[in-house]
Amino acid sequence: MYIPYLSGRKTLLPCNLGEMIPAMAPVRIIDAVLNTFDLSQFHAQHSSNGRPSYDPEMMLKLLIFAYTCNVCSSRAIERFAERDIHALWLVGCNAPESSTINRFRKNSGPLIDAVFTALVLELGKRDLVSFEEVFIDGTTIQGRSKPSKIVWRKSVTSREKVNKEKIRNLLKQFHEGESIDDERIDELPLDASSLATLCDDIEKSIAANAATMPPSVLRKKRKICKELKERTVKQAGYEADLRVMGDRNSFVRTDPDATGMILKEDRSYVSHTPSESSNEPEQTSPSPSSNDRPKASRRSTPPLETKATTTPQKQTKKKKSNGRSMAKPGFNLEIITKNQVVLAFEIFQTTSDTVTLEPVLNSFEAHYGHTPARVIADAAYGTEANYEMLEKKNIIPYVKYQSYDHEQTKEYRENIFHPDHLKYDAEGDYYTCPNHRKLCFVRSSPKDKTGSENRIYQCENCTDCALRSACYKGRENRLITINRRTRDYEEKARNNLLSDKGQRLLAQRAIEPETVFGQFKANLGMRRTNFFGIEMLKVDLNCRFIAHNFRKMTEIKPKPRNRKSKAKKKAQK
């Protein structure tokens, strides 16, 4: 006997969707929390003229709830609002179209950023986060454009150089037989605006002297003038590319905000076996996106001849090319977390993390008006400029420097030739090597970015030293470079990191921002952005991080199970 199954049965009264949703469902938490925020700015951007629009509060709640369920595209959100019972209850059975959702998301970027800040402050009131200790890390996100659309600075500058050389040759041919020196032509400015003026002057001179010129000379000059115009258009294109590129090394033709970079998940290099030939074409690592995956073969298994001739050693080795062949359009995302809650983030167009620490801290201060007391980060941020910046902000740095991990090894501790282990005489300003020879001060050179002094010391004589092979492999006497300011900053950071609190914070750092990145990339599948441009990417990340922070609220987290260990069970028995 079965329970009666009537899929098309009708009810006397329409069902209440609220009765089907639990009291502590995530959609109710999102609705209740957003109702406490001041959302008047969303109403201010809508006009009262024309057809009545959807309530912006409803649109915001739908957008955040959809992102919480990992539904991010506008068309998917439209289907989600029409089919999901929780979403239907949230929108009051009035689902908007995909174009309306996309337009609302596009026009509400700064307001969604304010909601992100308000949510973090709300989590702070609930004692879920604190602003005293923050963890900073970065990752790369692949852009939406194709790798073939990357424009490299080196390529543009080399082509521009060839183009200018051809322009000079054309000008020399045009003025051939005239009393104009080649040096004067070489000194002419060859930017696009100057070349356009020069082409106009050449056209006027040709038109003025056309009656007195032989036909062959006239045809030659007109041909040169035509080619000069073509070269001028190319020069304008090169200059436009360099303007778009700015200080970067590359940009993407279809997404100028993106930069060509090797993504962090692609930075796994495998050395070639000695038996592999060097003239074999290199293969790039597979991309996580569906567009870059290699096409599947028609046969599920390779032929038998291939199996017989392929050695197990070659099967385990994967050849991956380095350099530009692995570069893809991408962005550098830096986040600040505490208790795996995202407090602030910034998007950068450079792959280097060393220059991103100060901007992301400034963003944190701008959002909350508070400076953290302690900053925990890895060795990518451990530079002299960053240590100096943290000192000015009165922030205690728990930031590794480049050689911190190496200093914890036995190899470093037993290396008596390392510059850190050489004895220093402050009065004579010299170091003493293990063979009791002096390394005297030679010269100093300032650093470009910080202005600190690099002091260079050189040994008196290394020619007949018995320890030379173990100490120094250069042909001349040994040179060492010492930077006092950098050493002082590194010593302070070392003392902080080796303390009990520093060891605890370093262990916690491994599960703070890394867990957030793993949640987004591995669990939610966000390895590639869905939008073009850095502004829409920031709006998308704001929505994603709001949804992530909602998941971290205690009401949304699943209740922990009361599991007893085997030892406790045995003790109770």
Side-chain angles (χ1 to χ4, degrees), residues 341-355:
V341 172
V342 181
L343 306 180
F345 72 94
E346 281 295 326
I347 306 169
F348 298 92
Q349 298 171 310
T350 175
T351 56
S352 176
D353 290 340
T354 59
V355 297

Side-chain angles (χ1 to χ4, degrees), residues 10-62:
K10 299 180 180 179
T11 58
L12 180 62
L13 297 175
C15 60
N16 184 6
L17 295 179
E19 297 177 353
M20 303 180 186
I21 301 173
M24 298 306 295
V27 65
R28 290 188 181 273
I29 302 299
I30 293 173
D31 180 61
V33 172
L34 291 180
N35 283 337
T36 62
F37 294 165
D38 181 14
L39 304 178
S40 58
Q41 293 295 328
F42 285 90
H43 296 278
Q45 70 175 1
H46 287 271
S47 174
S48 58
N49 299 329
R51 181 183 180 275
S53 59
Y54 290 96
D55 190 340
E57 294 187 17
M58 181 271 288
M59 297 290 295
L60 177 65
K61 293 175 183 178
L62 173 62

Side-chain angles (χ1 to χ4, degrees), residues 37 151 172 269-270 401 433:
F37 294 165
V151 181
K172 291 176 183 178
Y269 301 101
V270 181
Y401 47 90
C433 73

Side-chain angles (χ1 to χ4, degrees), residues 44 89 99 289 311 419 427:
W89 172 83
S99 59
S289 63
T311 60
E427 295 181 0

Side-chain angles (χ1 to χ4, degrees), residues 4 14 22 45 84 117 120 158 169-170 192 207 217 220 251 343 350 490 526 535 553:
Q45 70 175 1
D84 189 84
T117 306
V120 174
S158 62
N169 293 335
L170 289 173
V217 176
K220 181 180 178 180
F251 78 99
L343 306 180
T350 175
E490 290 179 355
M526 188 204 167
E535 293 298 327
M553 295 180 69

Side-chain angles (χ1 to χ4, degrees), residues 163-340:
N163 187 54
K164 287 183 177 180
E165 189 63 30
K166 290 185 177 180
I167 289 174
R168 291 190 185 95
N169 293 335
L170 289 173
L171 291 175
K172 291 176 183 178
Q173 293 177 16
F174 184 84
H175 295 287
E176 188 176 2
E178 301 178 8
S179 59
I180 298 179
D181 297 334
D182 293 345
E183 296 180 357
R184 183 180 174 185
I185 295 176
D186 294 336
E187 294 175 356
L188 289 175
L190 297 182
D191 56 284
S193 59
S194 301
L195 287 175
T197 306
L198 184 62
C199 288
D200 293 340
D201 295 340
I202 289 175
E203 279 188 335
K204 292 178 181 178
S205 66
I206 292 175
N209 302 323
T212 59
M213 286 185 187
S216 58
V217 176
L218 182 60
R219 286 195 301 268
K220 181 180 178 180
K221 288 186 178 293
R222 284 177 176 174
K223 183 179 179 181
I224 292 174
C225 182
K226 180 181 178 181
E227 192 171 352
L228 276 174
K229 289 182 179 180
E230 295 174 356
R231 294 289 172 185
T232 302
V233 173
K234 288 186 177 182
Q235 180 63 28
Y238 297 144
E239 292 177 3
D241 289 345
L242 292 175
R243 280 195 301 271
V244 173
M245 205 172 299
D247 297 333
R248 295 180 288 169
N249 194 35
S250 63
F251 78 99
V252 185
R253 186 72 68 186
T254 53
D255 187 4
D257 290 338
T259 306
M261 58 181 67
I262 299 177
L263 306 182
K264 289 189 176 181
E265 52 263 28
D266 292 342
R267 295 177 187 174
S268 55
Y269 301 101
V270 181
S271 60
H272 291 213
T273 59
S275 59
E276 291 175 339
S277 59
S278 60
N279 56 359
E280 242 178 322
E282 294 181 340
Q283 300 176 357
T284 56
S285 62
S287 169
S289 63
S290 59
N291 296 337
D292 299 329
R293 291 174 184 165
K295 295 182 179 179
S297 176
R298 292 184 179 180
R299 293 180 292 187
S300 59
T301 57
L304 295 176
E305 293 84 355
T306 307
K307 286 185 177 180
T309 56
T310 305
T311 60
Q313 185 180 10
K314 286 190 177 181
Q315 287 179 351
T316 57
K317 293 288 183 179
K318 296 181 181 180
K319 295 188 295 181
K320 296 186 178 182
S321 62
N322 52 7
R324 295 182 179 177
S325 58
M326 292 183 65
K328 298 173 184 176
F331 300 89
N332 187 8
L333 171 64
E334 302 288 328
I335 64 172
I336 298 179
T337 65
K338 176 61 178 177
N339 294 340
Q340 299 179 10

